[in-house]
Amino acid sequence: TRGSHMPLLDDVVVREFRMDDKQLVTDFFDQMGGESRSFINRGDSSRILSMKFFEGITEDRVMFLAEYEGRMVGFIFLFENNTSIPFFGIAVHDAYKGRRIGEKMIEHIKLYARAHGKGGLFLTVHPANVRAQALYERVGFKRMGVHHSGENLYVFRFED
């Protein structure tokens, strides 16, 4: 698989968006190839929602980025943050896939959700995105069926 010969990145920092991150976020979405755009950014939807942060529109969502050597290498959004099991999504920079950045970001979002009293997390994933499904299952998400969108529905619940 792409990235399997690349070193794992231990010094990636996952943090919430800041107002001075607009160019990092823009560059991240600009680099997305066709697969990433079709799975996480159809119709530029994720970019449009991300840019609302820089307009001060946050509503019930939180956005995080993974940063490595001054570059945004990953993106996480947490929507419906006012619910007990919020919806989240994740994307890894095309050039950095296969380096465990996704795992690190998911562990970060689990800690965040837990610290904020959430009961778990849920997400949807395109049926053709087998790489992402393998990641979610590896980090404890359970496939619950098919979401009304046609995508596979995955849920992670905290045990206690």
Side-chain angles (χ1 to χ4, degrees):
T1 62
R2 179 178 39 178
S4 60
H5 64 285
M6 299 171 78
L8 302 179
L9 299 179
D10 292 326
D11 47 351
V12 171
V13 174
V14 180
R15 62 173 176 78
E16 286 188 49
F17 275 22
R18 297 186 306 234
M19 289 307 283
D20 64 343
D21 288 331
K22 189 171 185 177
Q23 190 60 53
L24 284 177
V25 175
T26 297
D27 293 346
F28 178 80
F29 285 103
D30 285 349
Q31 64 76 38
M32 284 185 165
E35 181 180 277
S36 293
R37 282 193 312 272
S38 68
F39 289 150
I40 191 72
N41 195 33
R42 278 185 299 260
D44 231 14
S45 59
S46 291
R47 179 197 303 258
I48 291 165
L49 287 169
S50 296
M51 289 299 138
K52 288 182 183 289
F53 172 86
F54 302 105
E55 299 168 21
I57 302 169
T58 55
E59 295 168 2
D60 64 345
R61 59 181 157 243
V62 183
M63 285 172 276
F64 300 84
L65 61 81
E67 188 174 12
Y68 177 71
E69 296 183 344
R71 172 181 274 178
M72 182 174 166
V73 296
F75 168 62
I76 310 170
F77 64 80
L78 189 65
F79 289 172
E80 301 173 13
N81 201 29
N82 58 351
T83 64
S84 62
I85 300 182
F87 174 73
F88 98 100
I90 181 173
V92 174
H93 190 292
D94 286 357
Y96 290 84
K97 291 184 179 181
R99 298 175 80 173
R100 297 233 168 103
I101 293 169
E103 287 180 26
K104 183 167 187 152
M105 291 190 304
I106 290 171
E107 290 311 310
H108 183 87
I109 202 69
K110 283 180 181 178
L111 290 171
Y112 176 91
R114 180 76 163 203
H116 287 82
K118 304 303 177 187
L121 298 163
F122 85 94
L123 62 90
T124 62
V125 60
H126 192 283
N129 193 349
V130 294
R131 178 187 205 128
Q133 291 175 64
L135 167 63
Y136 303 139
E137 291 171 15
R138 190 167 59 248
V139 298
F141 282 79
K142 304 288 183 235
R143 184 171 181 261
M144 304 302 288
V146 178
H147 186 261
H148 65 79
S149 66
E151 293 194 332
N152 292 335
L153 173 65
Y154 281 83
V155 174
F156 176 85
R157 291 187 180 144
F158 296 116
E159 294 301 319
D160 51 77

